[in-house]
C-alpha cells in the first residue's frame, strides 16, 4: 500500500488557526461555546482549538471528549453508556473530529449530545472532509477538502499520539 503525505505539520497548524478564527467570527465571540472532541483524534484537535481560542480571545473554552461507541449503528454489539456528563444544555456545542467521511460517526455524536441535554446549537469542525456522505451531514468548519476515492484511506496523525502531525493518503 502506497502512502503519501498530503498535508504537513505546518498545513495542519494553519488549518487549525483558520478554523479558530472562523469559529470566533461566526459566533461573534465565544460566549456559551464548548468543544466536544470525538475520541480519539477529535479530542486532541478540540484541545488545540480551545487553546488557540484562549490565545486570541483570552477566554478559556471548556473542552470534553466523547466516545460515540454506544450510539454507533455499525457495531455488532451494543456498547454501554459512557460514564460521563456533558454540560450541553443551552450551549453552542462545537463537535470536533479529524476526518468527515460518510457522516455516521457525526450522527452518532449528535445522538450522544442530545442524550445529555438540549444544546442551543451544534456546529461541526473537521480537519479533513473527504466526501462520500451517506447521511445529510456537512461540516461548518473544514481544514482541508480532500476528494478521495472509496478505495483510498485518509489518515490524520497528531503529535499527541502519533509523534507527528500530518494528513496521509493510502491507495
Amino acid at each position: 500500500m502506497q502512502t503519501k503525505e498530503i498535508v504537513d505539520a505546518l498545513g495542519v497548524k494553519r488549518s487549525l488557526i483558520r478554523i479558530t478564527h472562523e469559529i470566533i467570527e461566526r459566533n461573534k465571540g465565544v460566549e456559551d461555546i464548548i468543544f466536544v472532541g470525538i475520541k480519539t483524534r477529535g479530542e486532541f484537535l478540540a484541545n488545540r482549538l480551545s487553546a488557540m481560542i484562549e490565545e486570541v480571545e483570552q477566554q478559556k473554552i471548556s473542552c470534553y471528549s466523547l466516545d460515540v461507541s454506544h450510539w454507533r449503528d455499525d457495531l455488532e454489539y451494543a456498547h454501554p453508556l459512557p460514564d460521563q456528563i456533558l454540560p450541553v444544555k443551552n450551549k453552542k456545542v462545537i463537535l470536533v473530529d479529524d476526518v468527515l467521511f460518510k457522516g455516521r460517526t457525526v450522527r452518532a455524536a449528535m445522538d450522544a449530545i442530545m442524550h445529555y441535554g438540549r444544546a442551543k446549537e451544534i456546529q461541526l469542525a473537521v480537519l479533513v472532509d473527504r466526501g462520500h456522505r451517506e447521511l445529510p451531514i456537512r461540516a461548518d468548519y473544514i481544514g482541508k477538502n480532500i476528494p478521495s476515492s472509496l478505495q483510498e484511506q485518509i489518515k490524520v496523525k497528531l503529535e499527541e499520539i502519533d509523534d507527528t502531525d500530518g494528513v496521509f493518503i493510502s491507495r
Side-chain angles (χ1 to χ4, degrees), residues 2-32:
Q2 182 185 4
T3 301
K4 177 182 171 189
E5 183 177 50
I6 50 179
V7 180
D8 63 9
L10 186 56
V12 170
K13 184 176 180 180
R14 285 180 181 141
S15 292
L16 292 175
I17 289 169
R18 185 172 29 78
I19 289 170
T20 296
H21 289 283
E22 289 174 2
I23 288 169
I24 294 166
E25 288 174 26
R26 175 176 172 173
N27 292 285
K28 297 174 179 60
V30 293
E31 188 76 23
D32 293 328

Side-chain angles (χ1 to χ4, degrees), residues 39 65-67 70-71 79-86 115-116:
K39 285 189 175 225
S65 64
L66 177 63
D67 177 356
H70 176 77
W71 292 274
H79 283 255
L81 269 171
D83 186 25
Q84 76 179 105
I85 294 175
L86 286 180
H115 167 82
Y116 291 109

Side-chain angles (χ1 to χ4, degrees), residues 73-91:
D73 64 0
D74 60 345
L75 299 178
E76 293 289 319
Y77 60 94
H79 283 255
L81 269 171
D83 186 25
Q84 76 179 105
I85 294 175
L86 286 180
V88 300
K89 187 175 180 182
N90 296 323
K91 298 289 185 187

Side-chain angles (χ1 to χ4, degrees), residues 147-158:
S148 60
S149 75
L150 288 171
Q151 291 71 40
E152 294 172 315
Q153 286 187 320
I154 303 283
K155 175 77 172 164
V156 171
K157 291 189 177 185
L158 297 177

Side-chain angles (χ1 to χ4, degrees), residues 6-159:
I6 50 179
V7 180
D8 63 9
L10 186 56
V12 170
K13 184 176 180 180
R14 285 180 181 141
S15 292
L16 292 175
I17 289 169
R18 185 172 29 78
I19 289 170
T20 296
H21 289 283
E22 289 174 2
I23 288 169
I24 294 166
E25 288 174 26
R26 175 176 172 173
N27 292 285
K28 297 174 179 60
V30 293
E31 188 76 23
D32 293 328
I33 287 178
I34 65 168
F35 283 110
V36 175
I38 298 173
K39 285 189 175 225
T40 296
R41 286 169 180 79
E43 87 182 276
F44 294 113
L45 292 170
N47 285 323
R48 288 189 194 186
L49 289 169
S50 177
M52 289 176 174
I53 282 182
E54 187 173 0
E55 243 178 67
V56 173
E57 293 287 300
Q58 284 73 52
Q59 192 172 341
K60 182 124 179 85
I61 305 297
S62 296
C63 208
Y64 303 90
S65 64
L66 177 63
D67 177 356
V68 300
S69 299
H70 176 77
W71 292 274
R72 299 218 31 133
D73 64 0
D74 60 345
L75 299 178
E76 293 289 319
Y77 60 94
H79 283 255
L81 269 171
D83 186 25
Q84 76 179 105
I85 294 175
L86 286 180
V88 300
K89 187 175 180 182
N90 296 323
K91 298 289 185 187
K92 291 181 183 177
V93 175
I94 300 184
L95 193 57
V96 183
D97 205 4
D98 57 346
V99 178
L100 176 56
F101 185 26
K102 295 182 178 187
R104 296 196 173 274
T105 300
V106 172
R107 185 216 43 91
M110 289 191 301
D111 285 350
I113 289 167
M114 288 184 241
H115 167 82
Y116 291 109
R118 185 180 173 100
K120 185 184 295 183
E121 185 176 347
I122 300 174
Q123 300 172 20
L124 176 61
V126 297
L127 185 60
V128 175
D129 184 346
R130 65 173 289 191
H132 302 289
R133 226 67 86 237
E134 292 178 352
L135 300 171
I137 290 173
R138 65 162 180 74
D140 299 287
Y141 313 101
I142 301 168
K144 295 283 181 195
N145 281 297
I146 301 176
S148 60
S149 75
L150 288 171
Q151 291 71 40
E152 294 172 315
Q153 286 187 320
I154 303 283
K155 175 77 172 164
V156 171
K157 291 189 177 185
L158 297 177
E159 184 74 36

